[in-house]
Amino acid sequence: QVQLVESGGGLVQPGGSLSLSCAASGFTFSSFAMSWYRQAPGKDRELVATIFSNGNTHYADSAKGRFTISRDNAKNTVYLQMNSLKPEDTAVYYCKASTMYRYYWGQGTQVTVSA
């Protein structure tokens, strides 16, 4: 069965860093685009970054220059390195695996940026 398990969330001070991981199983990881989304209270879920099966990446403007998405196909894991965190980065962060024909979501991990 398909599983996407996020980890690495927590509480961090403004200007700090966090590294999120999403471990995947139950599908051909290397064939899927992997994305990180986030949803803040009262707001819609929004795309943060995507890494495609060929390694190309795409970032939301809010993430450019601060966040880095990467993947390790041998470990079936996608990462999100977040630096220079701001209070407005506070949200639940979700991992998504997608192709043209199907997609899967993880359960999310909370990131809170606060002094």
Side-chain angles (χ1 to χ4, degrees):
Q1 102 228 32
V2 171
Q3 280 194 313
L4 292 171
V5 181
E6 298 99 332
S7 60
L11 174 64
V12 63
Q13 292 187 342
S17 298
L18 275 178
S19 181
L20 305 182
S21 299
C22 172
S25 60
F27 62 97
T28 307
F29 179 82
S30 59
S31 298
F32 279 66
M34 299 299 299
S35 300
W36 287 97
Y37 283 73
R38 68 185 182 187
Q39 187 166 20
K43 294 190 176 182
D44 292 336
R45 192 172 297 189
E46 63 177 6
L47 176 67
V48 176
T50 298
I51 185 165
F52 298 94
S53 57
N54 63 4
N56 287 346
T57 58
H58 167 79
Y59 295 91
D61 287 345
S62 59
K64 286 179 182 175
R66 299 189 300 129
F67 296 0
T68 302
I69 189 170
S70 61
R71 65 190 298 161
D72 185 336
N73 289 340
K75 296 182 177 180
N76 286 359
T77 302
V78 62
Y79 305 96
L80 185 68
Q81 176 66 39
M82 303 187 294
N83 299 326
S84 303
L85 283 161
K86 307 174 182 179
E88 52 263 44
D89 294 318
T90 295
V92 177
Y93 283 69
Y94 297 91
C95 173
K96 179 184 179 184
S98 61
T99 67
M100 288 178 60
Y101 307 104
R102 62 182 62 89
Y103 58 90
Y104 310 113
W105 287 98
Q107 83 289 349
T109 185
Q110 176 70 46
V111 171
T112 302
V113 184
S114 175

